[in-house]
Amino acid sequence: MRRLTRWLSAVGASSVLVLTGSPAGAAPGPLPQEWWFKAWDIQHSVWPVSKGAGVTVAVIDTGVNANLPDLKDAVLPGKDFLGGYGDAQGSGDGRTDTDVRDGGHGTGMASLIASRGTGTGFVGVAPESKILPILSSTVSLPEAIRYAADHGAGVVSISQGTPALQNQCEPGLQQAIGYALDHNVVIVASAGNDGNGVNSVKIPAVCAGVLVAGALDNQKNVYANTERHPYVSVAAPGYLVGALQKDGRFNPQLSGTSQAGALTAGAVALVRSKFPNMSNREIVQRIIGTAKDVGPSGKDEQTGYGVVIPSAALTANVPKNAPNPVFAKYDKWKASQPKTGDTPTTPKTKSATEKNNDKAARNTKILLIGVGVVALLVIVVGGLLILRNRGRKNPPPPPPGAPGTPPSWGGTAGPGRQVPPQRGPGGQPYSPQPGPGQPPQAPPGGFGPR
């Protein structure tokens, strides 16, 4: 997730700059390091059915570099909200990646979803979808989610998180999520990468109605740092899942649930494109209902109901009454909220005597208030005259270097609370050792049914 993506080596040493794109006239294909294409059989079982056309995915992150050849045709104008701790200044429309620490986290997530492959050959899983870039930290997440819902997003991808206060979703954030869900948006979030450490409950992952993704490697083994919580819904590739950086380089040495969340959002975009009239509730039901069980038998706290299988989600017959735990949780939360818009009670009609009594009481009250105000003015004016005379006799010396107007009186307030960047256990990035110079290979049978 944001600030939790594990960089396995220094950016300069591990980055790969692809100098040649696809041959003229050829459709871009995935790079050899994009092992999830074979695991999901994207080119043969998914793309003939859907490439994500007509779907907008809002990426709420550090912004996206819209000038990269791979992304320039995919990225729409978005919006900047409050950025994360230590980030650079944005351009106002989300089309600048402000990440100064991880090489371009938002650009990486967008590339996994919708990269066209026209510059580096790196292709997203839904290369005909559009990206709505929204610069936001978890502090401004409610506003960012509402913006996404109001500007055409069918999917919201959030690969960031922060520890939840009292292990619960903040009310304002939950209301914003509810607003988006009621506007037919699917919200996807990454589970978090502290599973081997503090394993803290994260927002927005803990919020009702969010499809939460844990991470796997290319053998369907659970990524060790994936967090362990009941709200994890599904799993997707996340270990050694590279992405584009904001400088246009492809970095293959990345691992984390950020990538799992982005790829899950890409899978949702594929399904939304195939079924444009299907509700968000049905889309999530389909994603969960076609997931393939991994890890311990049945639902578990790191992979949820199993690994996402895009081809099955696009083609399987999912019963209307199939379980939908994500929306069941949301429905339970919504039912607990106070109802609004109830019809007001009709006021009782008063008799003529009651009306006259009320009028007399009001007049008496007005008279008493007037007398009190006059008395108060006399006291205040007299006091001011006394203070004025005392001030002339003994004026206090002005303090040296007196400050200006306090913030609460209209002056400039100090910086607001910002969430510091999060790291792995011990504050260090996760650093597993890949094979000697070889990209990971997809399992022989892929992730699909055997």
Side-chain angles (χ1 to χ4, degrees):
M1 55 194 331
R2 167 120 208 278
R3 303 305 190 192
L4 296 177
T5 300
R6 306 316 192 204
W7 295 83
L8 307 184
S9 57
V11 169
S14 64
S15 298
V16 175
L17 179 62
V18 180
L19 300 178
T20 59
S22 302
L31 297 177
Q33 296 93 334
E34 294 183 79
W35 59 264
W36 51 98
F37 270 75
K38 289 185 178 179
W40 274 344
D41 197 25
I42 294 288
Q43 290 173 281
H44 299 100
S45 299
V46 175
W47 280 358
V49 181
S50 174
K51 289 187 175 182
V55 178
T56 297
V57 182
V59 175
I60 302 179
D61 212 289
T62 61
V64 177
N65 183 358
N67 292 321
L68 297 181
D70 296 277
L71 290 171
K72 66 179 182 179
D73 293 333
V75 182
L76 303 169
K79 186 174 177 62
D80 289 1
F81 291 92
L82 180 63
Y85 179 84
D87 283 347
Q89 183 68 33
S91 55
D93 60 0
R95 291 162 61 88
T96 298
D97 197 324
T98 63
D99 182 11
V100 296
R101 176 178 175 179
D102 288 340
H105 193 274
T107 300
M109 300 307 102
S111 71
L112 286 166
I113 298 167
S115 177
R116 304 312 201 223
T118 50
T120 63
F122 182 87
V123 188
V125 293
E128 293 183 2
S129 64
K130 295 287 188 179
I131 298 294
L132 179 68
I134 303 177
L135 168 61
S136 174
S137 67
T138 52
V139 174
S140 52
L141 197 51
E143 294 89 346
I145 291 173
R146 288 177 182 271
Y147 178 88
D150 289 339
H151 288 80
V155 188
V156 172
S157 178
I158 311 173
S159 288
Q160 60 173 302
T162 196
L165 184 65
Q166 297 181 341
N167 293 339
Q168 295 178 350
C169 185
E170 296 175 1
L173 176 57
Q174 184 62 73
Q175 292 286 351
I177 289 171
Y179 178 85
L181 295 179
D182 290 347
H183 283 72
N184 200 30
V185 178
V186 175
I187 300 180
V188 181
S190 49
N193 298 333
D194 292 332
N196 274 349
V198 295
N199 195 47
S200 59
V201 172
K202 295 291 194 302
I203 56 171
V206 71
C207 299
V210 178
L211 183 68
V212 181
L216 302 172
D217 66 11
N218 68 323
Q219 298 297 319
K220 292 186 292 189
N221 298 316
V222 178
Y223 171 56
N225 282 3
T226 292
E227 298 204 11
R228 300 161 171 82
H229 292 293
Y231 53 69
V232 177
S233 314
V234 291
Y239 178 77
L240 289 180
V241 172
L244 295 183
Q245 299 174 186
K246 67 179 183 179
D247 63 1
R249 294 173 181 263
F250 167 62
N251 186 352
Q253 306 291 339
L254 304 175
S255 293
T257 60
S258 279
Q259 292 93 309
L263 288 175
T264 298
V268 172
L270 293 168
V271 179
R272 297 223 81 162
S273 177
K274 169 65 176 176
F275 303 104
N277 297 321
M278 188 173 285
S279 71
N280 55 354
R281 184 180 294 265
E282 293 173 289
I283 295 290
V284 171
Q285 181 185 49
R286 179 168 283 271
I287 292 289
I288 293 175
T290 56
K292 183 177 181 180
D293 190 22
V294 291
S297 180
K299 183 183 184 298
D300 64 81
E301 294 191 345
Q302 285 187 296
T303 65
Y305 293 89
V307 59
V308 174
I309 307 295
S311 59
L314 288 167
T315 59
N317 182 19
V318 178
K320 292 288 186 182
N321 61 349
N324 192 347
V326 169
F327 271 85
K329 181 180 177 181
Y330 172 65
D331 292 340
K332 182 177 180 181
W333 170 82
K334 192 171 182 179
S336 70
Q337 299 306 295
K339 289 182 171 32
T340 58
D342 292 337
T343 304
T345 303
T346 303
K348 177 185 175 183
T349 303
K350 294 184 178 182
S351 65
T353 302
E354 289 175 324
K355 291 179 179 179
N356 290 333
N357 290 338
D358 289 345
K359 184 177 180 180
R362 285 196 301 270
N363 291 338
T364 301
K365 184 182 293 185
I366 291 171
L367 178 61
L368 292 174
I369 291 174
V371 172
V373 169
V374 171
L376 180 61
L377 286 173
V378 171
I379 295 172
V380 171
V381 170
L384 288 175
L385 290 173
I386 293 172
L387 291 175
R388 182 183 178 191
N389 291 334
R390 288 179 180 176
R392 283 178 178 175
K393 291 179 180 178
N394 299 298
T405 307
S408 60
W409 288 359
T412 302
R417 172 181 173 269
Q418 293 189 3
V419 179
Q422 300 175 49
R423 304 286 278 173
Q428 298 298 320
Y430 183 70
S431 301
Q433 299 300 318
Q438 296 295 325
Q441 300 299 316
F447 281 173
R450 292 177 179 168

